[in-house]
Amino acid sequence: MEENKEGQKSHKTILITGGAGFIGSHLCERLVRDGHKVISLDNYFTGSRENHVSGVDYREGHTKDIEKYIPEKPDIIYHLGEYSRVAKSIEEPALVWNLNMEGTFGVLEFWRTRGGKLVYAGSSTKMATPRPEGIAGRDLSPYTWSKASNTELVHNYGYWYKLPYSIAYFYNVYGPRERAGEYGTVIEIFRQKILKGEPLEVRLPGTQERIYTHVNDTVEGLILVGEKGARDEYSIAAAESYPILEVAKLFGGEIVMLPARSTSRPSAAIDTDTGKIKALGWKQSHALEDYIRKIKEDISP
């Protein structure tokens, strides 16, 4: 937390879009603990009231209508509230457009008129190795395209209107409150399968490599980017990467191989430079193998 001229802690008004979601709820929790006034705007598409944190002012609504719900002038806007599934987005491009393009444009206009600093949650998919047929990460799906396009728009708004901002990239975030199901993420999906005694499903070829970063490490990075980040991009990424088949083997149990998807990326992001976030004081404190080991210990008879 920043200090004022008298050396006292400076408490801010902070808006988090998607504050009832997985990462957003952890960020809310941390910022409230630090003494900030925290407002969440969430449409509860994937967010949950079960994720509500005491002390947060929760408001329900679409980000395209942000002006209607937020009369305050936040010091920092953390924009996490977007559609965030790669393969599923192929089936529902209109929904992606509505949430990610119309919604984010509303947030950017709010930022332009109210001021403050914007921290935008970008997607590391745009930095992935191109598929064999030459399709770049940003063009794999409506989701990846929308995120890459919005990243460019954030940069331009910052330039056009001389506004402070930073962009943070997430890398397969895992941890408590993670979702399973069709809008879920792989670590929680595998955890639920193991709990139910069901086989783990892995898409061919199984060598697709990913970086997995714990939610607490991700939140620590977001706090630093909000406090100290410049008009730049920051990768909040663990040091290790794993092929998806290896992750399944870490969980143990039966594994079923499924056909590959057109949205599958062959490797983790090729441009994962954590030097910038480390220069702000960030360091990794959690490892995926420890998290999986604890899951297995908890379910052992």
Side-chain angles (χ1 to χ4, degrees):
M1 188 186 302
E2 296 177 0
E3 296 184 350
N4 59 25
K5 293 179 180 178
E6 288 73 37
Q8 299 172 323
K9 297 298 183 183
S10 176
H11 294 159
K12 293 178 165 55
T13 297
I14 299 178
L15 170 63
I16 302 172
T17 69
F22 166 42
I23 300 173
S25 64
H26 284 274
L27 180 59
C28 282
E29 193 170 50
R30 169 60 191 277
L31 288 169
V32 166
R33 191 167 72 237
D34 286 349
H36 297 292
K37 177 183 177 181
V38 180
I39 303 167
S40 165
L41 177 63
D42 203 304
N43 67 352
Y44 294 90
F45 172 62
T46 55
S48 170
R49 286 170 178 80
E50 294 179 0
N51 291 338
H52 280 193
V53 173
S54 178
V56 175
D57 182 352
Y58 288 95
R59 302 175 194 177
E60 182 173 358
H62 196 303
T63 47
K64 69 180 180 181
D65 302 317
I66 189 170
E67 288 276 358
K68 183 192 305 183
Y69 301 105
I70 313 294
E72 294 89 350
K73 181 179 178 180
D75 297 294
I76 302 175
I77 304 163
Y78 283 98
H79 184 31
L80 314 183
E82 289 186 310
Y83 183 108
S84 61
R85 298 267 52 87
V86 177
K88 182 68 176 173
S89 73
I90 289 285
E91 303 171 18
E92 42 198 19
L95 180 59
V96 178
W97 187 272
N98 177 257
L99 296 177
N100 290 16
M101 305 308 293
E102 294 178 36
T104 294
F105 179 68
V107 172
L108 297 187
E109 280 291 278
F110 176 85
W111 174 43
R112 179 178 69 83
T113 58
R114 301 292 180 88
K117 180 178 182 178
L118 177 71
V119 178
Y120 178 67
S123 172
S124 59
T125 52
K126 76 172 189 178
M127 295 178 274
T129 306
R131 283 179 55 84
E133 65 271 28
I135 300 297
R138 65 173 291 144
D139 296 323
L140 286 173
S141 72
Y143 163 71
T144 57
W145 181 87
S146 72
K147 293 293 286 187
S149 299
N150 283 343
T151 298
E152 294 167 3
L153 195 54
V154 169
H155 279 301
N156 283 332
Y157 259 68
Y159 172 72
W160 294 334
Y161 304 111
K162 298 182 171 46
L163 293 165
Y165 70 92
S166 295
I167 294 168
Y169 289 107
F170 299 160
Y171 292 79
N172 298 281
V173 183
Y174 66 91
R177 303 183 204 141
E178 192 177 358
R179 287 176 57 92
E182 62 181 353
Y183 294 104
T185 38
V186 68
I187 301 303
E188 182 63 14
I189 291 170
F190 281 178
R191 188 182 81 88
Q192 293 287 346
K193 292 278 189 184
I194 288 292
L195 287 172
K196 296 172 184 176
E198 297 175 356
L200 305 186
E201 298 175 340
V202 174
R203 294 279 172 181
L204 288 167
T207 54
Q208 306 93 302
E209 201 163 321
R210 300 289 183 270
I211 295 167
Y212 298 88
T213 310
H214 194 279
V215 65
N216 289 348
D217 287 338
T218 301
V219 166
E220 288 301 316
L222 282 170
I223 296 293
L224 288 167
V225 169
E227 290 179 352
K228 305 177 184 179
R231 291 183 182 182
D232 209 339
E233 302 187 350
Y234 299 87
S235 291
I236 308 173
E240 311 84 12
S241 62
Y242 299 85
I244 185 63
L245 185 57
E246 183 180 335
V247 173
K249 288 178 179 177
L250 287 172
F251 275 94
E254 183 184 355
I255 297 171
V256 175
M257 302 302 292
L258 300 179
R261 286 186 172 128
S262 63
T263 55
S264 293
R265 292 168 283 137
S267 72
I270 56 176
D271 185 24
T272 309
D273 177 11
T274 56
K276 292 175 184 176
I277 191 68
K278 288 178 179 176
L280 299 184
W282 183 83
K283 61 180 181 180
Q284 180 183 345
S285 299
H286 300 80
L288 178 63
E289 291 188 38
D290 294 336
Y291 185 75
I292 295 174
R293 187 180 303 114
K294 181 66 165 57
I295 289 172
K296 293 168 71 175
E297 287 173 358
D298 289 344
I299 62 177
S300 295

